[in-house]
Each structure stands twice: as structure tokens, then as C-alpha cells.
Amino acid sequence: MLAPSQIKLHKKSQTLELVFNDQPYMLSSEFLRVLSPSAEVRGHGKGQEVLQTGKKFVEITDITSIGNYAIKLTFNDGHDTDIYSWDYLLELGKNKDNLWQQYLQQLKSAEASRTPAEIGRWSN
């Protein structure tokens, strides 16, 4: 298992920077939240995934080291059950563009939005 040599949260842009083998990966808080490895998001089996909507402005509020294999992320929407292994974070980094496009397509198919409903009501 390859551990990142650097982990840095850029608070203003809400981007988590990870460096694996001198290769930097920039992952937004929204991206990490909607692709959470938790059962709440992924479900307990194929077809049980729960599409995450309204997470455009979610922020990471805490990062906790979990042994030598992972970090736990806490988000300001109360979600704090995420344990991101180094392998999973590297997979997210390497496949970010494809995973993001898949997510956007899922939102479109579900006629859902990245913007929280409370904001969406007033932004029209």
C-alpha cells in the first residue's frame, strides 16, 4: 500500500492535495463527499448506492489519521463516517475526470442538482 508523501487541505478552495510518488492529485471536498467510501453512500452491495445531491458547497472540517493506511474526513454537513484508504484516494486521484463525469451524468439522469435545495430556491 502506497502512502501519500503529502496531504494538505487548501481551505479557501476546499481542495485536498495528495502527493503519491511525486504526482500531485487535487480532489475537491464535493468530489470526496459524493464519492465517499461509506456504506451510507455506497450501500451494502451493488445497486444500493445512494446518489448524493446538493453537495456543491460542502467543506471538509477535519482530517484524522487512521493508522498508517487511511484518513478520516469530517464534512460540515455532518457526514463523518468516511475512512479513505490510501489505495482508494489514489484510485480517486487517477480516475478523477471519469468519476466526476459519471457523477454528473447520474445527477442529470436523476434530474438532481449539485446545489443544495435551500440555495436553489432563491437563485432563480
Side-chain angles (χ1 to χ4, degrees), residues 38-50:
S38 73
E40 176 186 325
V41 174
R42 289 183 140 187
H44 293 282
K46 190 75 174 149
Q48 295 184 1
E49 300 86 1
V50 178

Side-chain angles (χ1 to χ4, degrees), residues 2-56:
L2 177 66
S5 59
Q6 181 180 341
I7 301 170
K8 182 177 182 180
L9 177 61
H10 298 273
K11 290 189 181 210
K12 190 172 183 178
S13 65
Q14 274 301 303
T15 303
L16 187 65
E17 179 180 1
L18 301 144
V19 178
F20 289 93
N21 280 342
D22 296 326
Q23 172 66 49
Y25 296 98
M26 305 296 281
L27 305 175
S28 73
S29 297
E30 179 186 14
F31 179 78
L32 290 163
R33 177 61 179 85
V34 302
L35 289 170
S36 161
S38 73
E40 176 186 325
V41 174
R42 289 183 140 187
H44 293 282
K46 190 75 174 149
Q48 295 184 1
E49 300 86 1
V50 178
L51 181 62
Q52 301 298 297
T53 62
K55 302 300 179 188
K56 184 173 184 174

Side-chain angles (χ1 to χ4, degrees), residues 60-118:
I60 295 171
T61 57
D62 191 45
I63 301 172
T64 306
S65 179
I66 305 293
N68 294 323
Y69 68 94
I71 54 175
K72 176 182 174 187
L73 299 179
T74 301
F75 295 90
N76 67 346
D77 66 353
H79 188 76
D80 67 353
T81 58
D82 295 319
I83 295 179
Y84 292 81
S85 70
W86 304 143
D87 290 343
Y88 187 62
L89 287 166
L90 183 58
E91 176 186 329
L92 290 178
K94 287 182 174 180
N95 299 298
K96 180 175 79 169
D97 293 340
N98 286 338
L99 292 168
W100 186 246
Q101 288 308 312
Q102 288 173 18
Y103 172 68
L104 294 177
Q105 186 57 50
Q106 290 171 332
L107 282 176
K108 185 177 179 181
S109 296
E111 297 181 3
S113 175
R114 293 174 52 213
T115 306
E118 300 81 36

